[in-house]
Amino acid sequence: MVVEIGAVTDPKEKEDGRRTVVNRESEILIHWREWATISIRNGRRIVVDPVEGADDRIIELLVAGSGLGVLLHQRQRVTLHASAVAIEDGAVAFAGEKGMGKSTTATAFMKEGYPVLTDDVLAIDTSTASPQVTPGGRHFKLWPDAAAATLDSDAENLSVLYPGNPKKGYSAPGGPVSSFPLKCIYLLGYDDKNKEGLPRADVPSPTNAYMQVTLNSYALRFLKKTGIEKWYFDSVAEIVESVPVRILVREHDAQKIKKTIRFVEKDVREEQLQKRV
């Protein structure tokens, strides 16, 4: 893929909000009125037209997140707003809404010795015999308490992503470059009212699993249902049929992250044993 600075035609179909998305045959325009307009073309090129005076660091985050997520969708990859680590020769994904701890969980696994495959943008290839996860960016965006809980002394030297944003930026060391079979998707959730028995992994119905995976995709987030083609819905169905989907419920406390790690390790092992049986 190529990323370049250039002039992009401002979409006439602007919405009232801060972000406008226009879906065309071979091009998707995303316009942020405060920062930039970007054109994602044919799954190969991203052209960035910054707003004068906009912070380059914010634009880089938009391109690496939203821009890349949409570009991979153009390449017919199911692209989730998720992180993933390698456990027992397979990819384990952590998906969820903002603030659910995707980056925190992946960072904690990394500190336990598990390779990070990607953060924020998770691309799944369903053209192979089983769904495969392609390694991506490993640049974490962490709240200060999450950075302190997962990175220990390394957190002291981290800088904020950009002025006015309390999150800290951390780039994980080099990781795998080849794809991994997708072993499990954990949909992250919290339960601070009933802490007994946490963490736990709830098993959603096939319909709910399908809906939750779809809701956590970049495609639905940007293109809505009318902009998504049949291949996408077929691919999500294939993923849900062949890969376990679990709702991982835990306490909203970064200090308890190691408890979550031990639970996931055990859950993944048991899932693999069941498959062998």
Side-chain angles (χ1 to χ4, degrees):
M1 61 173 284
V2 174
V3 180
E4 61 186 359
I5 300 293
V8 175
T9 303
D10 225 2
K12 296 179 181 179
E13 309 94 325
K14 287 184 180 177
E15 299 171 3
D16 293 333
R18 300 172 67 182
R19 184 182 70 202
T20 300
V21 179
V22 179
N23 185 16
R24 297 171 180 166
E25 185 175 350
S26 60
E27 177 188 39
I28 295 172
L29 290 178
I30 308 178
H31 169 77
W32 292 272
R33 68 183 184 192
E34 298 178 15
W35 300 309
T37 301
I38 67 173
S39 168
I40 304 118
R41 304 173 184 176
N42 296 309
R44 296 183 176 277
R45 184 178 298 272
I46 298 178
V47 181
V48 184
D49 193 350
V51 172
E52 185 175 354
D55 193 317
D56 288 345
R57 288 168 292 185
I58 298 177
I59 296 173
E60 288 172 0
L61 291 171
L62 295 174
V63 171
S66 305
L68 183 59
V70 172
L71 180 139
L72 288 166
H73 175 79
Q74 289 179 327
R75 294 188 180 187
Q76 296 199 351
R77 299 291 189 270
V78 173
T79 313
L80 303 184
H81 192 206
S83 300
V85 298
I87 300 178
E88 296 195 10
D89 300 322
V92 174
F94 303 99
E97 299 177 0
K98 287 185 177 181
M100 283 294 108
K102 299 179 293 296
S103 296
T104 303
T105 304
T107 305
F109 270 94
M110 179 200 70
K111 291 297 285 185
E112 293 283 317
Y114 293 97
V116 174
L117 299 179
T118 188
D119 182 57
D120 197 47
V121 180
L122 171 67
I124 305 173
D125 183 2
T126 58
S127 67
T128 53
S130 62
Q132 300 283 314
V133 169
T134 306
R138 302 177 178 95
H139 310 291
F140 297 112
K141 299 178 281 292
L142 301 166
W143 292 103
D145 63 332
T150 55
L151 295 173
D152 302 321
S153 60
D154 292 342
E156 299 174 2
N157 300 318
L158 300 183
S159 301
V160 297
L161 290 171
Y162 53 86
N165 187 324
K167 281 191 173 183
K168 302 294 186 73
Y170 175 78
S171 294
V177 295
S178 58
S179 297
F180 280 70
L182 181 58
K183 280 191 170 186
C184 187
I185 298 175
Y186 287 102
L187 304 168
L188 299 180
Y190 292 122
D191 187 349
D192 290 326
K193 294 181 180 179
N194 183 16
K195 298 180 180 180
E196 186 176 350
L198 297 182
R200 71 173 191 268
D202 297 338
V203 182
S205 68
T207 300
N208 190 29
Y210 178 90
M211 291 301 299
Q212 290 300 319
V213 171
T214 302
L215 287 171
N216 282 285
S217 73
Y218 278 88
L220 191 65
R221 182 178 171 188
F222 285 96
L223 306 181
K224 312 304 180 187
K225 288 188 291 186
T226 56
I228 304 175
E229 299 173 14
K230 183 177 180 297
W231 71 262
Y232 172 82
F233 295 110
D234 291 343
S235 296
V236 172
E238 182 180 338
I239 292 169
V240 171
E241 287 173 2
S242 58
V243 176
V245 177
R246 302 288 182 262
I247 301 174
L248 180 61
V249 185
R250 66 262 197 260
E251 293 182 55
H252 197 170
D253 184 351
Q255 297 298 325
K256 303 287 182 67
I257 189 66
K258 287 195 176 182
K259 191 175 179 181
T260 298
I261 292 174
R262 301 286 90 83
F263 177 85
V264 170
E265 289 172 333
K266 182 174 181 290
D267 195 54
V268 170
R269 283 197 302 269
E270 291 178 351
E271 186 67 44
Q272 296 309 302
L273 286 173
Q274 290 177 9
K275 283 187 176 181
R276 294 188 187 108
V277 173

